[in-house]
Amino acid sequence: MNEKQMIRISKRLALYLRHDPAAIGLTLTPDGWAPVDALLRALAITREQLDEVVETNNKRRFAFDETGTRIRASQGHSVTVDLGLADATPPEVLYHGTVAKFLDAILREGLRPMNRHAVHLSATPDTARTVGARRGKPVLLHVDAAAMAAAGHAFQVSANGVWLTESVPPEYLHRID
Ligand code: HQG
């Protein structure tokens, strides 16, 4: 497949596995899994095509279970799922990329999950910059994850390395760049 076809399939997978499984008649398990065979039928793609998208996806957004018969998104859901991720100790500093128009609200009320389950934080400024750049000129925030963890905030890390937490109060945030 060429790049364009792969991106198209990846976008459809993100839509159905994170946001709207009912659109193609899928029901996710409480921990987010969908049967591979039903998904292949609904998307009219082959197992080989699906494997190629999962393996080469730039953010490794999707993962198979150990039997290879089920697939789920590793993060980013808006539908209710419990991925069953264990709490993990974050690095001292994490980063969040956003854009200027959200900055006042974020510095006033902190980072909120908005439509997703959790606030998504990045381990490196580069990744955070890429996340912010999806919406315009990126603005980078430094998150004092060590202080948050010390204060009892729980963190999890998704299978594809995104740090997740329920919310980030403003006192743990400051702008960098
Ligand atoms: C902003 C993509 C106003 C927040 C990325 C962001 C990531 C607030 C937007 C993943 C706010 C939510 C997640 C507040 C947060 N007031 N705005 N209090 N708190 N915001 O897309 O972090 O390609 O839900 O800054 O790469 O941008 O989908 O979150 O701009 O990993 O795999 O509200 O999605 O990954 O937007 O991105 P999102 P995000 P995928």
Side-chain angles (χ1 to χ4, degrees):
M1 279 183 293
N2 64 36
E3 181 83 7
K4 218 170 140 193
Q5 290 169 306
M6 307 248 281
I7 290 173
R8 220 180 122 247
I9 294 175
S10 168
K11 290 200 163 166
R12 293 184 69 197
L13 289 176
L15 174 64
Y16 302 135
L17 297 177
R18 289 171 169 177
H19 308 299
D20 195 8
I24 52 169
L26 283 182
T27 307
L28 305 184
T29 62
D31 47 357
W33 298 107
V36 169
D37 51 0
L39 188 67
L40 295 177
R41 274 197 303 275
L43 269 66
I45 59 173
T46 64
R47 175 72 201 224
E48 290 67 37
Q49 288 174 314
L50 181 65
D51 286 349
E52 194 181 349
V53 171
V54 170
E55 275 158 29
T56 62
N57 186 259
N58 61 347
K59 279 184 64 183
R60 302 204 68 91
R61 291 178 177 84
F62 314 103
F64 293 111
D65 71 358
E66 65 282 356
T67 68
T69 61
R70 301 188 305 170
I71 184 171
R72 73 179 181 184
S74 294
Q75 37 69 229
H77 302 77
S78 59
V79 294
T80 306
V81 292
D82 179 356
L83 295 174
L85 300 173
D87 288 351
T89 305
E92 295 221 336
V93 176
L94 287 167
Y95 300 90
H96 180 81
T98 188
V99 283
K101 68 176 173 189
F102 297 148
L103 200 57
D104 284 353
I106 290 173
L107 293 177
R108 195 171 58 240
E109 60 190 37
L111 287 169
R112 297 194 289 117
M114 311 309 276
N115 292 329
R116 304 193 200 243
H117 284 182
V119 170
H120 284 52
L121 301 172
S122 308
T124 69
D126 271 359
T127 307
R129 199 170 287 117
T130 308
V131 173
R134 285 152 55 237
R135 300 175 196 282
K137 186 170 181 292
V139 169
L140 284 198
L141 294 167
H142 172 287
V143 179
D144 190 348
M148 280 183 70
H153 289 267
F155 289 82
Q156 299 84 34
V157 60
S158 70
N160 58 342
V162 177
W163 283 89
L164 306 169
T165 194
E166 213 169 276
S167 64
V168 180
E171 59 268 31
Y172 300 109
L173 288 168
H174 67 260
R175 187 184 170 161
I176 45 175
D177 69 11

